[in-house]
Amino acid sequence: MKKQFELIATAAAGLEAVVGRELRDLGYDCQVENGRVRFKGDVRAIIETNLWLRAADRIKIVVGSFPARTFEELFQGVFALDWDRYLPLGARFPISKAKCVKSKLHNEPSVQAISKKAVVKKLQKHYARPEGVPLIENGAEFKIEVSILKDQATILIDTTGSSLFKRGYRTEKGGAPIKENMAAAILKLSNWYPDKPLVDPTCGSGTFCIEAAMIARQIAPGLRRTFSFEEWNWIDNRLIQEVRTEASKKINRDLVLDIMGTDIDARMVEIAKENAQKAGVASDITFKQMRVQDLRSEKINGVIISNPPYGERLSDDAGVTKLYAEMGEVFEPLKTWSKFILTSDENFEKKFGRQADKKRKLYNGTLKVDLYQFFGERVRRQATSEKGNI
């Protein structure tokens, strides 16, 4: 099997730079592109990036790339790839996805069928199986994807399985919740650090608070889940366990954190508590039922992060307008606090009563949203200042 791979970490639009920064922090040189970040690495890199990347969606192996203007070119291009270095005899290898953009080939089901035929032919030849005798596919699964952009085909194998945002701790969630990887990315885009107070006044199932605690404690986001590559016979289980053990040893258990999540819905508060317990950070977060209008604090240099109801999450426009106006009034006295608010409402600033210092376009699934950023006044904290109460 191969020792070095060309790899891609996919990411939601607007979050590619965050993923690139994470990869560099892990020690990988990378190239940031639209919707993905390219890097190279060995088997350990596949394990490590799946385990540690907080803002990415998936890690994929690039098997090869070639021009594909006709179905014959597609067949020959796929057939020429070194499939025997990835797929052992008996492997299941569905062509799980085909995407054609600005290309002469646009019938995606046909692209899938021809690509599958080419892989079968190549494996029959390599494993000396006669034509007409189907390959038995009863082993580990290798999901193959075909992407054709401007007549250039790229063939990929997904190493992740369920998307990386599925950390394994969220047992229940509210309506249209923010994905875990987007929450982590927004925290990374903010000016929050573990020594600052953090409040989410519309916490829902607690995702922002939980991700913040995991970042602060250096808990690898993939520690509580499994990945597709763990079933592959050419990835040593001992190496997987070694990387997981190393990650466990990096957890910082000595910090004292000041993180709070509040929500008007008592049921959501209980769900948030359960999720935090499952994530192993229940003792780091205070969750309580409270209206946004009741938020007060004498602390300084804190950070508010909120994903308030909007668009499909709250169909009552009058209710949205009222909530945003109240948020503006409640947050105004918190002069030294920075506020980061995610919404699809293009009139948010008018309703909030203040223009953002910075605005960043993101996508929550297919929904375009903006991250409105309001930076607090800088005040030097006394070294002896104590943790206050809200």
Side-chain angles (χ1 to χ4, degrees), residues 27 39 56 61 81 87 97-98 115 119 124 149-150 163-164 174 223 242 249 317 339-340 365:
F39 64 106
I61 297 170
L81 298 176
L87 307 179
K97 185 178 179 181
S115 299
V119 180
Q124 284 176 327
L149 174 62
K150 296 180 180 178
S163 177
L164 290 175
L223 267 181
E242 180 183 313
K249 288 179 179 177
D317 187 61
K339 300 96 180 176
F340 298 84

Side-chain angles (χ1 to χ4, degrees), residues 27-307:
Y28 298 101
D29 292 329
C30 61
Q31 179 182 343
V32 176
E33 302 175 358
N34 288 335
R36 60 192 181 185
V37 184
R38 290 181 180 270
F39 64 106
K40 293 181 180 179
D42 55 10
V43 168
R44 174 181 277 270
I46 293 172
I47 303 168
E48 194 172 51
T49 53
N50 272 290
L51 199 64
W52 276 105
L53 291 183
R54 300 181 191 277
D57 287 324
R58 297 178 184 276
I59 307 300
K60 299 176 182 180
I61 297 170
V62 179
V63 183
S65 186
F66 51 85
R69 294 172 291 271
T70 66
F71 284 124
E72 179 62 22
E73 279 189 331
L74 175 66
F75 179 90
Q76 295 300 336
V78 174
F79 182 83
L81 298 176
D82 52 351
W83 291 106
D84 54 290
R85 303 188 74 179
Y86 298 97
L87 307 179
L89 186 62
R92 290 179 290 138
F93 50 98
I95 311 298
S96 61
K97 185 178 179 181
K99 186 175 182 181
C100 305
V101 179
K102 297 179 181 178
S103 298
K104 293 181 178 65
L105 298 181
H106 51 80
N107 187 316
E108 293 172 353
S110 295
V111 167
Q112 288 175 290
I114 288 167
S115 299
K116 177 73 175 187
K117 183 178 178 181
V119 180
V120 169
K121 290 275 188 183
K122 184 61 172 281
L123 293 180
Q124 284 176 327
K125 180 179 179 182
H126 176 77
Y127 292 116
R129 292 297 187 267
E131 286 193 37
V133 177
L135 288 172
I136 296 173
E137 297 184 37
N138 58 3
E141 184 175 63
F142 296 75
K143 286 187 176 179
I144 299 170
E145 299 180 8
V146 182
S147 171
I148 306 179
L149 174 62
K150 296 180 180 178
D151 298 326
Q152 185 73 13
T154 302
I155 314 301
L156 308 141
I157 298 177
D158 174 32
T159 74
T160 302
S162 296
S163 177
L164 290 175
F165 81 81
K166 296 185 178 181
R167 316 287 206 224
Y169 65 73
R170 196 155 70 178
T171 52
E172 286 195 72
K173 54 191 177 183
I178 189 167
K179 290 180 179 179
E180 292 89 326
N181 55 353
M182 175 171 271
I186 290 172
L187 285 159
K188 296 266 188 179
L189 289 169
S190 77
N191 61 357
W192 177 76
Y193 291 94
D195 63 340
K196 291 183 177 183
L198 178 73
V199 175
D200 179 356
T202 56
C203 72
S205 56
T207 308
F208 273 126
C209 296
I210 294 168
E211 290 294 320
M214 291 176 68
I215 290 170
R217 294 219 174 273
Q218 298 179 60
I219 299 173
L223 267 181
R224 294 172 180 266
R225 57 161 290 171
T226 58
F227 304 95
S228 288
F229 68 78
E230 294 184 75
E231 299 297 320
W232 301 353
N233 69 345
W234 47 268
I235 296 187
D236 191 343
N237 285 331
R238 289 173 297 181
L239 181 59
I240 296 170
Q241 190 54 51
E242 180 183 313
V243 177
R244 284 186 175 276
T245 300
E246 289 172 1
S248 296
K249 288 179 179 177
K250 289 181 180 178
I251 297 174
N252 184 342
R253 305 187 186 278
D254 298 327
L255 290 174
V256 176
L257 301 174
D258 187 358
I259 301 173
M260 186 173 77
T262 68
D263 201 281
I264 194 170
D265 187 339
R267 177 178 169 272
M268 292 310 303
V269 171
E270 292 306 309
I271 288 172
K273 289 178 180 178
E274 291 173 14
N275 290 341
Q277 183 70 40
K278 192 164 184 183
V281 294
S283 61
D284 295 320
I285 309 167
T286 300
F287 286 113
K288 66 180 181 180
Q289 182 185 14
M290 190 174 78
R291 302 185 310 160
V292 171
Q293 299 92 313
D294 295 329
L295 178 64
R296 304 286 186 277
S297 181
E298 294 181 0
K299 301 173 189 175
I300 63 171
N301 296 346
V303 173
I304 291 172
I305 292 190
S306 175
N307 178 35

